[in-house]
Short mmCIF file of all heavy atoms in Angstrom, two decimals:
data_model
loop_
_atom_site.label_atom_id
_atom_site.label_comp_id
_atom_site.label_asym_id
_atom_site.label_seq_id
_atom_site.Cartn_x
_atom_site.Cartn_y
_atom_site.Cartn_z
N MET A 371 199.42 209.64 -124.32
CA MET A 371 198.14 210.32 -124.27
C MET A 371 197.02 209.33 -123.98
O MET A 371 196.05 209.67 -123.34
CB MET A 371 197.91 211.04 -125.59
CG MET A 371 196.61 211.75 -125.65
SD MET A 371 196.88 213.43 -126.10
CE MET A 371 195.24 213.91 -126.39
N GLN A 372 197.17 208.10 -124.44
CA GLN A 372 196.15 207.09 -124.21
C GLN A 372 195.96 206.85 -122.71
O GLN A 372 194.85 206.58 -122.26
CB GLN A 372 196.53 205.80 -124.92
CG GLN A 372 195.46 204.74 -124.86
CD GLN A 372 195.84 203.53 -125.70
OE1 GLN A 372 196.90 203.47 -126.30
NE2 GLN A 372 194.97 202.55 -125.72
N ASP A 373 197.03 206.99 -121.92
CA ASP A 373 196.93 206.81 -120.48
C ASP A 373 196.03 207.83 -119.82
O ASP A 373 195.53 207.61 -118.72
CB ASP A 373 198.32 206.87 -119.84
CG ASP A 373 199.18 205.69 -120.19
OD1 ASP A 373 198.61 204.62 -120.55
OD2 ASP A 373 200.41 205.81 -120.12
N LEU A 374 195.83 208.97 -120.47
CA LEU A 374 194.97 210.01 -119.91
C LEU A 374 193.55 209.50 -119.73
O LEU A 374 192.86 209.85 -118.77
CB LEU A 374 194.98 211.24 -120.82
CG LEU A 374 194.03 212.38 -120.46
CD1 LEU A 374 194.37 212.94 -119.08
CD2 LEU A 374 194.11 213.49 -121.50
N PHE A 375 193.08 208.65 -120.62
CA PHE A 375 191.69 208.19 -120.59
C PHE A 375 191.48 206.96 -119.70
O PHE A 375 190.35 206.62 -119.39
CB PHE A 375 191.21 207.90 -122.02
CG PHE A 375 191.25 209.13 -122.88
CD1 PHE A 375 192.24 209.30 -123.82
CD2 PHE A 375 190.31 210.12 -122.72
CE1 PHE A 375 192.29 210.44 -124.61
CE2 PHE A 375 190.34 211.27 -123.50
CZ PHE A 375 191.34 211.42 -124.45
N GLU A 376 192.55 206.33 -119.28
CA GLU A 376 192.45 205.10 -118.48
C GLU A 376 191.71 205.29 -117.16
O GLU A 376 190.89 204.46 -116.79
CB GLU A 376 193.87 204.53 -118.27
CG GLU A 376 193.90 203.19 -117.59
CD GLU A 376 194.03 203.34 -116.09
OE1 GLU A 376 194.67 204.28 -115.64
OE2 GLU A 376 193.47 202.49 -115.38
N PRO A 377 191.92 206.38 -116.40
CA PRO A 377 191.23 206.51 -115.10
C PRO A 377 189.77 206.93 -115.19
O PRO A 377 189.04 206.84 -114.20
CB PRO A 377 192.02 207.61 -114.37
CG PRO A 377 193.15 208.01 -115.23
CD PRO A 377 192.97 207.38 -116.56
N PHE A 378 189.29 207.37 -116.34
CA PHE A 378 187.92 207.89 -116.43
C PHE A 378 186.84 206.93 -115.92
O PHE A 378 185.91 207.37 -115.24
CB PHE A 378 187.59 208.34 -117.84
CG PHE A 378 188.17 209.69 -118.20
CD1 PHE A 378 188.72 209.91 -119.44
CD2 PHE A 378 188.17 210.73 -117.29
CE1 PHE A 378 189.25 211.15 -119.77
CE2 PHE A 378 188.70 211.97 -117.61
CZ PHE A 378 189.24 212.17 -118.86
N PRO A 379 186.89 205.65 -116.20
CA PRO A 379 185.84 204.77 -115.68
C PRO A 379 185.80 204.68 -114.16
O PRO A 379 184.78 204.30 -113.59
CB PRO A 379 186.17 203.40 -116.29
CG PRO A 379 187.01 203.69 -117.48
CD PRO A 379 187.76 204.95 -117.14
N ARG A 380 186.88 205.06 -113.48
CA ARG A 380 186.91 204.99 -112.02
C ARG A 380 186.52 206.30 -111.35
O ARG A 380 186.50 206.39 -110.13
CB ARG A 380 188.30 204.55 -111.56
CG ARG A 380 188.62 203.15 -112.06
CD ARG A 380 189.88 202.59 -111.45
NE ARG A 380 190.97 203.54 -111.41
CZ ARG A 380 192.13 203.37 -112.00
NH1 ARG A 380 192.37 202.29 -112.69
NH2 ARG A 380 193.08 204.29 -111.90
N VAL A 381 186.22 207.34 -112.14
CA VAL A 381 185.76 208.61 -111.59
C VAL A 381 184.28 208.44 -111.21
O VAL A 381 183.47 208.00 -112.02
CB VAL A 381 185.93 209.76 -112.61
CG1 VAL A 381 185.28 211.04 -112.10
CG2 VAL A 381 187.40 209.98 -112.92
N LYS A 382 183.96 208.77 -109.96
CA LYS A 382 182.59 208.64 -109.47
C LYS A 382 181.73 209.77 -110.04
O LYS A 382 182.21 210.88 -110.27
CB LYS A 382 182.55 208.70 -107.94
CG LYS A 382 183.40 207.66 -107.27
CD LYS A 382 182.84 206.29 -107.50
CE LYS A 382 183.70 205.28 -106.73
NZ LYS A 382 183.39 203.93 -107.01
N LEU A 383 180.46 209.47 -110.25
CA LEU A 383 179.52 210.45 -110.77
C LEU A 383 178.47 210.78 -109.72
O LEU A 383 178.11 209.94 -108.90
CB LEU A 383 178.83 209.91 -112.03
CG LEU A 383 179.75 209.48 -113.18
CD1 LEU A 383 178.93 208.90 -114.32
CD2 LEU A 383 180.61 210.64 -113.64
N ASP A 384 177.96 212.01 -109.77
CA ASP A 384 176.89 212.38 -108.84
C ASP A 384 175.54 211.99 -109.45
O ASP A 384 175.47 211.35 -110.50
CB ASP A 384 176.97 213.87 -108.49
CG ASP A 384 176.73 214.80 -109.68
OD1 ASP A 384 176.26 214.33 -110.75
OD2 ASP A 384 177.02 216.01 -109.54
N ALA A 385 174.46 212.39 -108.80
CA ALA A 385 173.11 212.01 -109.23
C ALA A 385 172.77 212.56 -110.62
O ALA A 385 171.95 211.99 -111.33
CB ALA A 385 172.09 212.50 -108.22
N ASN A 386 173.42 213.65 -111.02
CA ASN A 386 173.17 214.25 -112.33
C ASN A 386 174.05 213.66 -113.43
O ASN A 386 173.93 214.03 -114.58
CB ASN A 386 173.41 215.76 -112.27
CG ASN A 386 172.43 216.47 -111.37
OD1 ASN A 386 171.27 216.09 -111.28
ND2 ASN A 386 172.90 217.49 -110.68
N GLY A 387 174.97 212.77 -113.05
CA GLY A 387 175.88 212.18 -114.02
C GLY A 387 177.13 212.99 -114.25
O GLY A 387 177.90 212.72 -115.15
N ASP A 388 177.35 214.01 -113.40
CA ASP A 388 178.54 214.84 -113.49
C ASP A 388 179.66 214.24 -112.64
O ASP A 388 179.38 213.59 -111.62
CB ASP A 388 178.24 216.26 -113.00
CG ASP A 388 177.21 216.97 -113.86
OD1 ASP A 388 177.23 216.76 -115.09
OD2 ASP A 388 176.39 217.73 -113.31
N PRO A 389 180.92 214.46 -113.01
CA PRO A 389 182.02 213.95 -112.19
C PRO A 389 181.94 214.50 -110.77
O PRO A 389 181.64 215.68 -110.56
CB PRO A 389 183.27 214.46 -112.90
CG PRO A 389 182.84 214.74 -114.29
CD PRO A 389 181.40 215.14 -114.21
N ASP A 390 182.20 213.64 -109.80
CA ASP A 390 182.16 214.03 -108.39
C ASP A 390 183.54 213.81 -107.78
O ASP A 390 183.85 212.73 -107.29
CB ASP A 390 181.11 213.22 -107.65
CG ASP A 390 180.89 213.68 -106.23
OD1 ASP A 390 181.62 214.59 -105.78
OD2 ASP A 390 180.00 213.13 -105.56
N PRO A 391 184.41 214.85 -107.81
CA PRO A 391 185.77 214.67 -107.32
C PRO A 391 185.85 214.33 -105.84
O PRO A 391 186.76 213.64 -105.41
CB PRO A 391 186.45 216.01 -107.60
CG PRO A 391 185.46 216.88 -108.25
CD PRO A 391 184.17 216.16 -108.36
N GLN A 392 184.88 214.78 -105.05
CA GLN A 392 184.93 214.50 -103.61
C GLN A 392 184.62 213.04 -103.31
O GLN A 392 185.08 212.51 -102.30
CB GLN A 392 183.98 215.42 -102.86
CG GLN A 392 184.43 216.86 -102.92
CD GLN A 392 183.59 217.77 -102.06
OE1 GLN A 392 182.65 217.35 -101.43
NE2 GLN A 392 183.95 219.04 -102.05
N ALA A 393 183.88 212.37 -104.19
CA ALA A 393 183.55 210.96 -103.98
C ALA A 393 184.55 210.03 -104.67
O ALA A 393 184.55 208.84 -104.43
CB ALA A 393 182.14 210.68 -104.51
N THR A 394 185.40 210.59 -105.51
CA THR A 394 186.39 209.81 -106.25
C THR A 394 187.65 209.63 -105.43
O THR A 394 188.08 210.55 -104.73
CB THR A 394 186.72 210.52 -107.59
OG1 THR A 394 185.51 210.70 -108.33
CG2 THR A 394 187.69 209.70 -108.42
N ASP A 395 188.23 208.45 -105.51
CA ASP A 395 189.46 208.13 -104.78
C ASP A 395 190.57 209.11 -105.17
O ASP A 395 190.73 209.44 -106.35
CB ASP A 395 189.87 206.69 -105.10
CG ASP A 395 191.07 206.23 -104.31
OD1 ASP A 395 191.17 206.56 -103.12
OD2 ASP A 395 191.92 205.54 -104.90
N ASP A 396 191.33 209.55 -104.18
CA ASP A 396 192.41 210.50 -104.42
C ASP A 396 193.46 209.97 -105.39
O ASP A 396 194.02 210.73 -106.18
CB ASP A 396 193.09 210.89 -103.11
CG ASP A 396 192.23 211.82 -102.27
OD1 ASP A 396 191.31 212.45 -102.82
OD2 ASP A 396 192.48 211.89 -101.04
N ALA A 397 193.73 208.68 -105.34
CA ALA A 397 194.73 208.10 -106.25
C ALA A 397 194.27 208.20 -107.70
O ALA A 397 195.08 208.42 -108.60
CB ALA A 397 195.00 206.64 -105.88
N VAL A 398 192.97 208.05 -107.94
CA VAL A 398 192.43 208.18 -109.29
C VAL A 398 192.58 209.61 -109.78
O VAL A 398 193.02 209.86 -110.91
CB VAL A 398 190.95 207.74 -109.34
CG1 VAL A 398 190.33 208.04 -110.69
CG2 VAL A 398 190.82 206.27 -109.01
N LEU A 399 192.25 210.57 -108.92
CA LEU A 399 192.37 211.98 -109.30
C LEU A 399 193.83 212.36 -109.53
O LEU A 399 194.14 213.10 -110.48
CB LEU A 399 191.76 212.87 -108.22
CG LEU A 399 190.25 212.72 -108.01
CD1 LEU A 399 189.80 213.57 -106.84
CD2 LEU A 399 189.48 213.08 -109.28
N LYS A 400 194.71 211.86 -108.70
CA LYS A 400 196.15 212.16 -108.85
C LYS A 400 196.66 211.59 -110.17
O LYS A 400 197.37 212.27 -110.92
CB LYS A 400 196.93 211.56 -107.68
CG LYS A 400 198.40 211.61 -107.81
CD LYS A 400 198.98 212.84 -107.20
CE LYS A 400 200.49 212.71 -107.23
NZ LYS A 400 201.16 213.89 -106.92
N GLY A 401 196.28 210.34 -110.49
CA GLY A 401 196.69 209.74 -111.75
C GLY A 401 196.16 210.51 -112.95
O GLY A 401 196.88 210.71 -113.93
N LEU A 402 194.93 210.96 -112.86
CA LEU A 402 194.33 211.74 -113.93
C LEU A 402 195.09 213.05 -114.12
O LEU A 402 195.40 213.44 -115.25
CB LEU A 402 192.86 212.00 -113.61
CG LEU A 402 192.02 212.67 -114.66
CD1 LEU A 402 192.00 211.86 -115.94
CD2 LEU A 402 190.60 212.87 -114.15
N ALA A 403 195.42 213.71 -113.02
CA ALA A 403 196.15 214.98 -113.11
C ALA A 403 197.55 214.78 -113.70
O ALA A 403 198.00 215.57 -114.53
CB ALA A 403 196.25 215.61 -111.73
N VAL A 404 198.23 213.72 -113.27
CA VAL A 404 199.58 213.46 -113.78
C VAL A 404 199.55 213.18 -115.28
O VAL A 404 200.35 213.73 -116.05
CB VAL A 404 200.23 212.28 -113.02
CG1 VAL A 404 201.48 211.77 -113.72
CG2 VAL A 404 200.53 212.68 -111.59
N HIS A 405 198.61 212.35 -115.73
CA HIS A 405 198.52 212.03 -117.16
C HIS A 405 198.08 213.25 -117.97
O HIS A 405 198.56 213.45 -119.09
CB HIS A 405 197.55 210.87 -117.39
CG HIS A 405 198.07 209.56 -116.88
ND1 HIS A 405 199.28 209.04 -117.26
CD2 HIS A 405 197.55 208.66 -116.03
CE1 HIS A 405 199.48 207.88 -116.66
NE2 HIS A 405 198.44 207.64 -115.90
N ALA A 406 197.19 214.07 -117.42
CA ALA A 406 196.76 215.28 -118.13
C ALA A 406 197.93 216.25 -118.30
O ALA A 406 198.12 216.83 -119.37
CB ALA A 406 195.62 215.95 -117.37
N GLN A 407 198.73 216.41 -117.25
CA GLN A 407 199.87 217.30 -117.33
C GLN A 407 200.90 216.80 -118.35
O GLN A 407 201.41 217.58 -119.15
CB GLN A 407 200.52 217.44 -115.96
CG GLN A 407 201.65 218.43 -115.93
CD GLN A 407 202.24 218.58 -114.54
OE1 GLN A 407 202.06 217.73 -113.68
NE2 GLN A 407 202.94 219.67 -114.32
N ALA A 408 201.16 215.51 -118.34
CA ALA A 408 202.12 214.94 -119.29
C ALA A 408 201.62 215.07 -120.73
O ALA A 408 202.40 215.39 -121.64
CB ALA A 408 202.40 213.48 -118.95
N SER A 409 200.33 214.85 -120.93
CA SER A 409 199.75 214.97 -122.28
C SER A 409 199.81 216.41 -122.77
O SER A 409 200.16 216.67 -123.92
CB SER A 409 198.31 214.48 -122.28
OG SER A 409 198.26 213.10 -122.01
N ALA A 410 199.48 217.36 -121.90
CA ALA A 410 199.53 218.77 -122.28
C ALA A 410 200.96 219.19 -122.61
O ALA A 410 201.19 219.92 -123.58
CB ALA A 410 198.96 219.63 -121.16
N ALA A 411 201.91 218.74 -121.82
CA ALA A 411 203.31 219.09 -122.08
C ALA A 411 203.78 218.51 -123.42
O ALA A 411 204.49 219.19 -124.18
CB ALA A 411 204.20 218.59 -120.95
N THR A 412 203.37 217.29 -123.71
CA THR A 412 203.76 216.66 -124.97
C THR A 412 203.16 217.40 -126.16
O THR A 412 203.85 217.67 -127.15
CB THR A 412 203.30 215.19 -124.99
OG1 THR A 412 203.91 214.51 -123.90
CG2 THR A 412 203.66 214.51 -126.29
N MET A 413 201.88 217.75 -126.06
CA MET A 413 201.24 218.49 -127.15
C MET A 413 201.87 219.87 -127.31
O MET A 413 202.11 220.33 -128.43
CB MET A 413 199.74 218.61 -126.91
CG MET A 413 199.00 217.30 -127.09
SD MET A 413 197.23 217.47 -126.91
CE MET A 413 197.07 217.51 -125.14
N ASN A 414 202.15 220.53 -126.20
CA ASN A 414 202.76 221.85 -126.25
C ASN A 414 204.14 221.77 -126.91
O ASN A 414 204.48 222.62 -127.74
CB ASN A 414 202.88 222.44 -124.84
CG ASN A 414 203.37 223.85 -124.85
OD1 ASN A 414 203.00 224.64 -125.71
ND2 ASN A 414 204.22 224.18 -123.90
N TRP A 415 204.92 220.78 -126.56
CA TRP A 415 206.24 220.61 -127.16
C TRP A 415 206.12 220.38 -128.66
O TRP A 415 206.86 220.96 -129.45
CB TRP A 415 206.99 219.47 -126.50
CG TRP A 415 208.28 219.13 -127.18
CD1 TRP A 415 208.54 218.03 -127.92
CD2 TRP A 415 209.46 219.93 -127.22
NE1 TRP A 415 209.82 218.07 -128.39
CE2 TRP A 415 210.41 219.25 -127.99
CE3 TRP A 415 209.81 221.15 -126.69
CZ2 TRP A 415 211.68 219.73 -128.23
CZ3 TRP A 415 211.08 221.64 -126.93
CH2 TRP A 415 212.00 220.94 -127.69
N GLY A 416 205.16 219.55 -129.06
CA GLY A 416 204.99 219.27 -130.49
C GLY A 416 204.56 220.49 -131.28
O GLY A 416 205.04 220.74 -132.38
N ILE A 417 203.67 221.28 -130.71
CA ILE A 417 203.19 222.49 -131.39
C ILE A 417 204.32 223.51 -131.48
O ILE A 417 204.56 224.12 -132.51
CB ILE A 417 201.97 223.08 -130.66
CG1 ILE A 417 200.77 222.14 -130.84
CG2 ILE A 417 201.64 224.47 -131.18
CD1 ILE A 417 199.58 222.48 -129.96
N TRP A 418 205.03 223.71 -130.36
CA TRP A 418 206.10 224.69 -130.34
C TRP A 418 207.23 224.30 -131.29
O TRP A 418 207.76 225.12 -132.01
CB TRP A 418 206.64 224.81 -128.90
CG TRP A 418 207.84 225.67 -128.81
CD1 TRP A 418 207.86 227.04 -128.77
CD2 TRP A 418 209.21 225.26 -128.79
NE1 TRP A 418 209.14 227.49 -128.70
CE2 TRP A 418 210.01 226.43 -128.72
CE3 TRP A 418 209.83 224.03 -128.82
CZ2 TRP A 418 211.39 226.37 -128.68
CZ3 TRP A 418 211.22 223.98 -128.77
CH2 TRP A 418 211.97 225.14 -128.70
N ARG A 419 207.56 223.02 -131.29
CA ARG A 419 208.71 222.57 -132.06
C ARG A 419 208.45 222.66 -133.57
O ARG A 419 209.35 222.95 -134.34
CB ARG A 419 209.03 221.12 -131.69
CG ARG A 419 210.29 220.61 -132.31
CD ARG A 419 210.78 219.38 -131.57
NE ARG A 419 212.12 219.06 -131.97
CZ ARG A 419 212.41 218.11 -132.85
NH1 ARG A 419 211.46 217.40 -133.40
NH2 ARG A 419 213.66 217.87 -133.17
N TRP A 420 207.23 222.42 -133.98
CA TRP A 420 206.94 222.37 -135.42
C TRP A 420 206.24 223.62 -135.94
O TRP A 420 205.90 223.70 -137.10
CB TRP A 420 206.11 221.14 -135.74
CG TRP A 420 206.86 219.89 -135.42
CD1 TRP A 420 206.60 219.04 -134.40
CD2 TRP A 420 208.00 219.36 -136.10
NE1 TRP A 420 207.51 218.01 -134.39
CE2 TRP A 420 208.40 218.17 -135.42
CE3 TRP A 420 208.75 219.78 -137.19
CZ2 TRP A 420 209.48 217.43 -135.82
CZ3 TRP A 420 209.83 219.00 -137.57
CH2 TRP A 420 210.19 217.84 -136.90
N ALA A 421 206.03 224.60 -135.08
CA ALA A 421 205.39 225.83 -135.54
C ALA A 421 206.33 226.62 -136.45
O ALA A 421 207.53 226.65 -136.22
CB ALA A 421 204.99 226.69 -134.34
N PRO A 422 205.78 227.23 -137.48
CA PRO A 422 206.64 228.00 -138.39
C PRO A 422 207.20 229.25 -137.75
O PRO A 422 206.80 229.78 -136.82
CB PRO A 422 205.71 228.37 -139.55
CG PRO A 422 204.34 228.01 -139.14
CD PRO A 422 204.42 227.20 -137.90
#
């Protein structure tokens, strides 16, 4: 899950300080998506497995 936050400093921001996906390198966005998917799957597995 810690890897999910690693690409955030490389995400470009627009003039308002909002993330700008069109200005951000595709490799950064791809890495962010891969880590987000893996983190969500891990959390989902943990919740499902330990739910009463």
